């Protein structure tokens, strides 16, 4: 999918490849194919194996790849040779070339899989006329209100939201989150790799469309 000069490709589970100009940007790659391009930048939301996968990082890193991680993933990333590691925490903002990278919390409210105290994150990437929100592993949380309005003033606002339930939002809660933040496009994730199914993604899209929110399922990149 191409939006405003940015290509967004779904890698499965919560993984995405974003291509912008000559940059290859990955978010939470997991169980990826062996023929993907090498990464210029990798964003990791938290240290769980299905989001910070050493096997996948070794496939796509090269000398000079920048990996941005929350503090709890630092010890894992130091094992990857030849990369530049940057630590990011909730509320931080930094720039990678002409891309602005911000964070908001990602956590469960009534489950213990992703406690708020861990400081795990979702990412907000700002390109020229496009904002992409990758929610990480989270429930619908109050901090999402800060994202409302990102789709105004000529910007496209794409929200990548988990829909599988159990560890994260289910389709209903994810649709409620989409209603809250009002993206111009919502894309489901966190399904198809051990938890969640395509039916969860389909339900999410249907619920979003009922609320007047454009939503699409991206086919997995092979």
């Amino acid at each position: 999918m191409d939006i405003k000069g940015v290509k967004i490709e779904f890698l499965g589970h919560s993984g995405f490849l974003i291509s912008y100009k000559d940059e290859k940007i990955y978010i939470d790659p997991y169980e990826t194919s062996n023929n993907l391009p090498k990464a210029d930048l990798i964003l990791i939301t938290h240290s769980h194996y299905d989001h910070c996968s050493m096997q996948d990082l070794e496939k796509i890193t090269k000398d000079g790849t920048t990996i941005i991680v929350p503090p709890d993933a630092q010890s894992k990333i130091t094992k990857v040779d030849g990369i530049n590691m940057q630590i990011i925490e909730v509320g931080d903002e930094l720039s990678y070339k002409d891309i602005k990278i911000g964070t908001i919390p990602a956590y469960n409210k009534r489950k213990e899989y992703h406690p708020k105290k861990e400081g795990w994150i979702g990412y907000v990437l700002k390109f020229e006329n496009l904002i992409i929100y990758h929610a990480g592993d989270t429930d619908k949380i109050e901090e999402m209100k800060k994202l409302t309005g990102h789709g105004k003033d000529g910007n496209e606002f794409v929200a990548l939201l988990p829909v599988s339930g159990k560890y994260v939002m289910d389709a209903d809660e994810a649709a409620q989150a989409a209603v809250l933040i009002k993206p111009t496009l919502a894309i489901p994730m966190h399904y198809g790799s051990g938890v969640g199914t395509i039916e969860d993604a389909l339900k999410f899209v249907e619920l979003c469309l009922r609320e007047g929110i454009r939503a699409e399922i991206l086919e997995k990149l092979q």
Side-chain angles (χ1 to χ4, degrees):
M1 172 178 287
D2 291 273
I3 304 173
K4 301 279 189 177
V6 180
K7 187 175 185 180
I8 304 171
E9 296 176 281
F10 181 47
L11 303 177
H13 199 53
S14 294
F16 288 84
L17 168 58
I18 297 171
S19 302
Y20 175 63
K21 297 180 178 178
D22 294 325
E23 303 297 318
K24 299 298 182 184
I25 303 162
Y26 288 83
I27 308 177
D28 284 2
Y30 176 61
E31 294 187 343
T32 59
S33 67
N34 294 317
N35 57 355
L36 293 174
K38 297 297 184 181
D40 298 294
L41 174 65
I42 302 172
L43 307 175
I44 301 296
T45 61
H46 64 293
S47 60
H48 286 170
Y49 72 91
D50 54 337
H51 296 263
C52 185
S53 164
M54 297 302 293
Q55 181 178 354
D56 289 277
L57 293 176
E58 287 166 0
K59 286 182 190 178
I60 60 175
T61 51
K62 61 184 179 182
D63 283 346
T65 296
T66 295
I67 305 182
I68 298 177
V69 296
D72 78 303
Q74 182 175 3
S75 61
K76 294 178 73 170
I77 300 303
T78 54
K79 299 172 186 175
V80 183
D81 293 332
I83 58 94
N84 301 314
M85 180 172 61
Q86 286 187 258
I87 304 299
I88 197 167
E89 298 187 67
V90 171
D92 284 353
E93 292 187 355
L94 55 84
S95 294
Y96 175 83
K97 300 188 177 179
D98 57 350
I99 305 165
K100 295 188 183 304
I101 301 169
T103 63
I104 73 167
Y107 60 88
N108 296 135
K109 292 190 290 188
R110 290 174 293 277
K111 298 172 282 197
E112 294 301 320
Y113 302 111
H114 305 92
K116 187 175 183 179
K117 65 183 180 182
E118 292 289 354
W120 293 334
I121 55 178
Y123 284 100
V124 181
L125 306 182
K126 296 182 180 180
F127 302 88
E128 188 174 353
N129 296 113
L130 171 66
I131 297 171
I132 299 174
Y133 168 49
H134 185 292
D137 275 6
T138 190
D139 291 337
K140 176 175 170 279
I141 55 176
E142 288 297 308
E143 290 88 345
M144 288 178 177
K145 289 180 180 178
K146 298 176 183 177
L147 302 172
T148 304
H150 277 4
K152 296 179 180 178
D153 302 322
N155 287 320
E156 293 283 341
F157 175 30
V158 177
L160 313 174
L161 300 173
V163 300
S164 60
K166 187 172 181 177
Y167 304 108
V168 295
M169 298 183 283
D170 61 15
D172 292 275
E173 189 179 10
Q176 292 168 20
V179 170
L180 175 66
I181 65 177
K182 297 178 174 60
T184 51
L185 173 64
I187 295 172
M189 65 175 186
H190 204 284
Y191 63 91
S193 292
V195 63
T197 65
I198 188 64
E199 283 72 25
D200 296 306
L202 289 166
K203 182 179 181 182
F204 169 76
V205 169
E206 180 184 351
L207 291 170
C208 284
L209 294 176
R210 285 184 195 171
E211 297 290 343
I213 296 170
R214 181 185 166 209
E216 292 186 27
I217 294 172
L218 295 189
E219 208 168 301
K220 182 179 177 180
L221 182 65
Q222 301 299 323

